[in-house]
Amino acid sequence: MEGDVTIDRLFLPSSQLGGDCLDFYWLDEQHLVLYILDVSGHGLAAALPSISIHNLLRTQARFNQQYATSHGRRQSDSFLKRPADVLNYLNSLFQMKDQNNQYFTIWYGVFDKDSRQLRYASAGHPPALLRSMAEGGNIEWCALKAPGMPIGLFEEVAYEERTVSIGLSSQLFLYTDGLYEIPKPDGEMWDNGGFQTLLEAHAESTESGLVSLVDQIRAHTSVESFPDDASIISIHFTPSPDAGSQG
């Protein structure tokens, strides 16, 4: 995707079929939907729920109608703009007892282009990482966390929403744990902290593409192929013409 927001993505399935799923699209001229999810397990058993969730989130009119009918809302009031509501509804549809004991984690956000606010919620997924410019030209990194159990584990779960301002020339990374849950030659498991350190250094380098990042992960962990599905989205937020005072 290019324009007001520039997006790149990379998906590396561990087999021909995988349980990772990622997507991004403009819900309307103002709101951009971003999400990434990871279904438990591998192969066909993980791929089928992943495809179902993707199709459901893409059929916006049907999704909104179902939600409006069951929750007494106006159909025109798109609940896809409200991350916590989306996760609550997905949890009601995809209980693991009805999905062959499959559950999934997800990070779901909605960027408002006019207000430059990003609303997000998470269901047990690794936090998105936001890179932004602070006062004095220093680079700051922030982990966008929100409480919530994976989708499907428990019926009575209420997901919470968070909001963050997106400054000028900010960059956001969404990823799955397949990028860092990698056994190293010494027997130790590489972790999220190690991945974040590598990502921060990589983002400042001249070769900052996602393919280059994956090459660095392979070199750092000494693995040729990832043991699990691995996915990442890189989002560059282009400054809006009137955003100079919003920092």
Side-chain angles (χ1 to χ4, degrees), residues 26 30 38 66 71 83 127 142 149 179 222 228 242 245:
W26 288 101
Q30 182 177 344
D38 182 5
Q66 288 178 338
H71 290 75
C142 179
M149 301 292 292
L179 279 177
S222 300
D228 193 6
D242 58 347
S245 62

Side-chain angles (χ1 to χ4, degrees), residues 43-104:
L44 183 62
L48 290 178
S50 179
I51 294 169
S52 297
I53 300 159
H54 174 268
N55 290 338
L56 184 58
L57 290 173
R58 272 286 183 166
T59 54
Q60 303 162 30
R62 176 178 165 221
F63 206 5
N64 283 325
Q65 183 178 19
Q66 288 178 338
Y67 183 84
T69 300
S70 61
H71 290 75
R73 299 282 184 87
R74 295 175 301 167
Q75 186 175 339
S76 60
D77 183 17
S78 175
F79 92 108
L80 290 174
K81 299 175 185 177
R82 302 190 295 275
D85 283 352
V86 172
L87 267 56
N88 285 324
Y89 191 51
L90 288 174
N91 191 58
S92 71
L93 293 179
F94 291 93
Q95 282 295 300
M96 61 183 297
K97 60 182 175 59
D98 303 318
Q99 302 292 329
N100 295 317
N101 291 322
Q102 299 292 110
Y103 63 88
F104 65 93

Side-chain angles (χ1 to χ4, degrees), residues 173-189:
F173 295 92
L174 314 180
Y175 56 95
T176 61
D177 59 14
L179 279 177
Y180 62 82
E181 289 189 345
I182 302 171
K184 297 189 295 183
D186 60 6
E188 296 293 325
M189 183 72 73

